[in-house]
């Protein structure tokens, strides 16, 4: 039985949406002939059972003559935390003293982007060092036991998205979960002798329906947490391969404390060997269900309560490292999987979760490793969550996998302060199954994007709705130039001066826009020719 009642009103609404979608199917099919949704590959390419059988130690090799000291690695990931939600990023409402202390004792990045503006693809990219479309996880993975109503609405949404009526174009993941042919940082670090644990949210394939997606099958020695997002009911709680709770529902107030305790216990039993801890918080993703000591503690409502409890969890982890004499031997990184959703602050940026504007991608990132990372520093180079994979491997004395493209770059030089310039010539911004934008240095370019402006919220010119909306341009008598009724494309922003992406500079700097446009298309064509990024 579905846990959501299928009322007569709901059926009528679904029928109306379906009729609207059906009436536009012919238009959508015509539109698809000139569609720019090019990143939609056959799902079979994400299976690749032969590559999945290749032992990781044949792909990841040790660096010859490596003499560095392998650090313990603690990666703490918030869920839907905005760029402006921490005190060290200018928030004066939510109190985050423990996270702020990491910034004071380490380095704070101002131009760090999550790998994607949505949670599952962001996590897939972060763990593999590759853009999400190489993994096939391109949209948040739904629970395998999702309700009938939600499945139907998602299908209707795909039709309406193709028309451009809602921002859901190409809104279906190309794979049901992280393919076993991908190499995660947990699998790679094993080659260097690391023990690894994932505590918290997984969301890279519902292993309650298909055990190929279980974290144990992707390199993690220990797992305790949730199969999907904490509002993707039914949400199961597991320890290892044992189901503890079939559906946590809204009984979530104990989860942050439970995850923190599990993380501490893993650190304490692993302290004699190098370890990798991925503490993947459920917060501040909605619903916000903090434990009783944190209820109404923040002036930012339940969202702020959830953030402040997460901050306390970070404090507990840091205290554990110090208590066990691991403080100087551990690199700690705190960041978020994407920008804020319905609550939260994107700071001095435009947009929110799910959008390619800075508010969807730009997130906090702070790192601490005493004596290796200078305290109190700020890094303004453009970087992305795909960079963790090659950076962690380098610190562990490992080379990148030899059979695939790794899109991330080693950013140890930026973390340590030895370098100031980004190792990326360009970073790319995917929106569902489209490639929307590119950043190079201070410049960010969009080929097209929904601007979410009055009077039409969706205006991409490569959709039926967007084409109609922009098809009323006025051409004065006797002129060969028209005045746009809606926005104009492409868009070019100088992020050093305009982090809110408010001023289109295409006409002022046409050569910059043209070059970035060419670079975007070149990358797109190369990607499409080899979507998995195999080298051999």
């Amino acid at each position: 039985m579905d846990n959501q009642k299928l009322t007569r009103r709901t059926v009528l609404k679904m029928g109306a949406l379906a009729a609207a979608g059906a009436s536009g199917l012919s238009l959508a099919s015509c539109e698809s002939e000139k569609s720019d949704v090019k990143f939609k590959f056959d799902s079979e390419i994400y299976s690749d059972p032969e590559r999945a059988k290749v032992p990781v130690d044949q792909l990841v090799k040790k660096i010859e003559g490596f003499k560095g000291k392998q650090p313990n690695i603690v990666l703490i990931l918030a869920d839907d935390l905005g760029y402006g939600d921490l005190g060290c990023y200018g928030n004066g409402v939510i109190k985050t003293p423990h996270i702020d202390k990491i910034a004071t004792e380490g380095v704070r990045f101002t131009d760090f982007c999550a790998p994607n503006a949505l949670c599952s693809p962001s996590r897939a990219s972060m763990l593999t060092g590759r853009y999400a479309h190489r993994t096939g996880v391109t949209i948040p993975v739904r629970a395998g036991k999702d309700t009938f109503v939600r499945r139907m609405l998602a299908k209707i949404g795909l039709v309406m998205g193709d028309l451009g009526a809602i921002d859901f174009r190409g809104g279906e993941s190309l794979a049901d979960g992280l393919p076993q042919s991908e190499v995660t940082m947990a699998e790679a670090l094993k080659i260097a002798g690391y023990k690894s644990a994932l505590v918290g949210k997984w969301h890279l394939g519902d292993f309650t329906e298909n055990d190929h997606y279980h974290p144990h099958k992707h390199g993690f020695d220990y797992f305790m947490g949730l199969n999907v997002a904490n509002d993707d009911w039914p949400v199961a709680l597991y320890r290892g391969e044992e189901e503890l709770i079939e559906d946590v529902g809204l009984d979530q107030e104990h989860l942050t404390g439970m995850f923190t305790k599990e993380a501490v216990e893993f650190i304490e039993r692993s302290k004699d060997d190098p370890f990798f801890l991925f503490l993947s918080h459920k917060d501040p993703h909605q619903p916000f269900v903090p434990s009783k000591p944190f209820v109404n503690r923040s002036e930012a409502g339940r969202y702020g309560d959830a953030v402040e409890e997460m901050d306390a969890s970070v404090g507990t982890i840091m205290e554990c490292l110090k208590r066990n004499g691991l403080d100087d031997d551990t690199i700690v990184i705190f960041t978020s999987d994407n920008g804020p959703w319905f609550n939260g602050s994107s700071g001095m940026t435009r947009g929110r979760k799910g959008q390619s504007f800075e508010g969807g991608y730009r997130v906090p990132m702070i790192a601490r490793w005493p004596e290796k990372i200078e305290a109190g520093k700020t890094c303004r180079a453009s970087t992305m969550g795909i960079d963790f994979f090659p950076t962690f491997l380098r610190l562990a004395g490992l080379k990148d996998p030899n059979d695939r493209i790794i899109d991330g770059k080693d950013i140890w030089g930026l973390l340590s302060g030895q370098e100031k310039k980004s190792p990326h010539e360009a970073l790319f911004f995917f929106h569902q199954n489209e490639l929307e934008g590119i950043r190079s240095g201070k410049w960010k370019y969009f080929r097209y994007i929904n601007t979410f402006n009055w009077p039409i919220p969706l205006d991409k010119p490569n959709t039926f709705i967007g084409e109609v909306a922009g098809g009323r341009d006025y051409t004065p008598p006797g002129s060969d130039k028209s005045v746009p009724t809606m926005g104009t494309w492409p868009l070019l922003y100088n992020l050093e001066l305009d982090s809110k992406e408010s001023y289109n500079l295409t006409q002022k700097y046409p050569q910059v826009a043209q070059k970035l446009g060419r670079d975007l298309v070149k990358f797109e064509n190369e990607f499409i020719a080899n979507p998995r990024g195999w080298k051999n």
Side-chain angles (χ1 to χ4, degrees):
M1 291 286 290
D2 290 328
N3 59 14
Q4 180 177 343
K5 290 184 178 179
L6 193 61
T7 64
R8 180 174 180 273
R9 181 183 296 271
T10 302
V11 172
L12 290 173
K13 285 182 178 179
M14 289 172 59
L17 282 171
S23 68
L25 280 175
S26 60
L27 293 169
S29 63
C30 291
E31 175 63 22
S32 66
E33 294 178 5
K34 66 181 186 65
S35 170
D36 290 302
V37 182
K38 298 176 181 177
F39 290 83
K40 192 165 186 178
F41 312 110
D42 189 332
S43 61
E44 288 299 313
I45 72 169
Y46 298 104
S47 174
D48 216 330
E50 293 306 313
R51 284 188 181 271
K53 294 177 184 176
V54 179
V56 176
D57 61 5
Q58 292 186 19
L59 307 176
V60 177
K61 302 295 184 180
K62 294 182 179 180
I63 297 172
E64 296 178 7
F66 176 75
K67 296 180 180 180
K69 179 175 176 57
Q70 295 176 324
N72 304 310
I73 300 169
V74 176
L75 174 60
I76 304 175
L77 185 67
D79 194 350
D80 291 3
L81 182 77
Y83 182 80
D85 281 328
L86 303 177
C88 55
Y89 283 86
N91 192 294
V93 180
I94 302 175
K95 308 303 180 186
T96 55
H98 300 291
I99 299 173
D100 297 345
K101 186 178 180 183
I102 297 177
T104 300
E105 297 176 347
V107 60
R108 181 179 68 95
F109 280 61
T110 63
D111 287 58
F112 181 86
C113 287
N116 197 279
L118 294 169
C119 39
S120 291
S122 180
R123 291 156 192 271
S125 291
M126 196 171 293
L127 286 176
T128 64
R130 287 149 57 86
Y131 286 113
H133 285 70
R134 299 202 192 279
T135 74
V137 181
T138 55
I139 292 291
V141 177
R142 296 196 299 272
K145 299 174 183 176
D146 207 354
T147 66
F148 170 76
V149 171
R150 284 168 42 138
R151 289 197 303 269
M152 285 299 298
L153 289 175
K155 290 182 182 298
I156 294 169
L158 291 173
V159 175
M160 304 303 285
D162 282 343
L163 289 170
I166 61 174
D167 193 21
F168 203 56
R169 194 159 193 248
E172 189 169 31
S173 185
L174 302 180
D176 294 331
L178 189 65
Q180 290 188 307
S181 53
E182 290 295 329
V183 175
T184 69
M185 57 179 67
E187 290 176 295
L189 289 170
K190 277 183 182 296
I191 309 303
Y194 279 70
K195 296 178 181 178
S196 62
L198 166 62
V199 179
K201 173 182 171 181
W202 174 236
H203 210 187
L204 287 175
D206 189 352
F207 52 78
T208 69
E209 295 285 294
N210 185 340
D211 66 358
H212 286 174
Y213 298 136
H214 194 284
H216 284 178
K217 301 291 179 69
H218 293 278
F220 288 97
D221 301 304
Y222 182 76
F223 168 67
M224 193 276 184
L226 308 174
N227 58 330
V228 288
N230 61 325
D231 68 341
D232 237 348
W233 297 290
V235 183
L237 177 66
Y238 270 66
R239 178 180 283 111
E241 297 178 20
E242 177 189 1
E243 183 180 85
L244 303 179
I245 302 175
E246 183 178 6
D247 185 9
V248 301
L250 286 173
D251 184 21
Q252 298 185 16
E253 68 175 35
H254 61 290
L255 290 179
T256 299
M258 181 184 294
F259 295 158
T260 305
K261 179 175 180 292
E262 293 281 337
V264 166
E265 290 176 353
F266 170 77
I267 291 171
E268 292 182 335
R269 67 174 177 266
S270 306
K271 60 185 177 182
D272 294 331
D273 297 295
F275 63 81
F276 166 49
L277 169 63
F278 181 25
L279 177 53
S280 176
H281 279 289
K282 68 176 179 62
D283 293 317
H285 191 291
Q286 66 176 17
F288 317 116
V289 189
S291 62
K292 290 180 181 177
F294 292 89
V295 173
N296 292 329
R297 180 166 166 170
S298 170
E299 289 302 316
R302 284 290 185 269
Y303 180 93
D305 294 342
V307 174
E308 293 193 8
E309 182 167 19
M310 182 175 61
D311 177 74
S313 168
V314 171
T316 300
I317 299 300
M318 300 306 293
E319 193 278 328
C320 171
L321 293 172
K322 184 168 291 188
R323 183 177 69 248
N324 286 278
L326 301 169
D327 199 50
D328 291 341
D329 301 321
T330 305
I331 181 171
V332 177
I333 288 179
F334 179 91
T335 189
S336 178
D337 63 348
N338 48 247
W341 198 4
F342 295 108
N343 285 271
S345 168
S346 56
M348 295 296 289
T349 64
R350 177 181 183 178
R352 304 183 75 80
K353 174 180 179 175
Q355 299 174 22
S356 296
F357 289 119
E358 290 293 284
Y361 269 85
R362 194 187 296 199
V363 291
M365 200 284 267
I366 52 181
R368 177 187 183 273
W369 185 6
E371 299 183 9
K372 300 292 192 300
I373 295 176
E374 190 175 352
K377 291 296 182 180
T378 298
C379 177
R380 304 189 185 281
S382 57
T383 45
M384 189 174 265
I386 51 177
D387 299 329
F388 291 145
F389 181 95
T391 304
F392 291 170
L393 265 62
R394 181 264 189 202
L395 292 175
L398 300 171
K399 300 177 182 178
D400 289 346
N402 55 30
D403 69 332
R404 65 198 64 201
I405 293 171
I406 298 298
D407 297 298
K409 304 292 184 183
D410 176 5
I411 58 169
W412 174 244
L414 295 175
L415 289 165
S416 63
Q418 299 168 15
E419 298 173 3
K420 302 297 182 184
K421 185 179 178 181
S422 172
H424 291 278
E425 291 184 9
L427 290 167
F428 296 90
F429 297 83
F430 289 85
H431 178 67
Q432 294 157 183
N433 289 332
E434 294 183 87
L435 178 60
E436 288 189 333
I438 175 176
R439 176 172 180 175
S440 181
K442 66 183 180 181
W443 299 107
K444 188 172 179 184
Y445 168 98
F446 288 115
R447 176 166 48 189
Y448 38 67
I449 186 171
N450 285 319
T451 58
F452 300 92
N453 287 328
W454 179 90
I456 277 206
L458 305 180
D459 52 349
K460 272 187 172 182
N462 66 323
T463 66
F464 172 72
I465 297 294
E467 186 177 39
V468 171
R472 300 290 185 271
D473 293 357
Y474 173 67
T475 303
S479 174
D480 60 355
K481 295 181 180 180
S482 60
V483 179
T485 305
M486 303 297 293
T488 58
W489 287 269
L491 303 173
L492 178 68
Y493 300 113
N494 179 345
L495 294 182
E496 284 186 359
L497 302 176
D498 180 22
S499 64
K500 287 189 174 182
E501 296 165 292
S502 301
Y503 307 108
N504 183 9
L505 299 176
T506 299
Q507 291 182 326
K508 183 175 177 64
Y509 300 104
Q511 292 181 335
V512 174
Q514 290 165 11
K515 180 185 183 305
L516 291 178
R518 289 193 300 269
D519 291 346
L520 184 146
V521 171
K522 180 176 182 292
F523 173 82
E524 180 178 63
N525 290 337
E526 291 174 351
F527 201 115
I528 291 168
N530 182 17
R532 293 301 304 274
W534 302 132
K535 290 182 177 179
N536 50 52

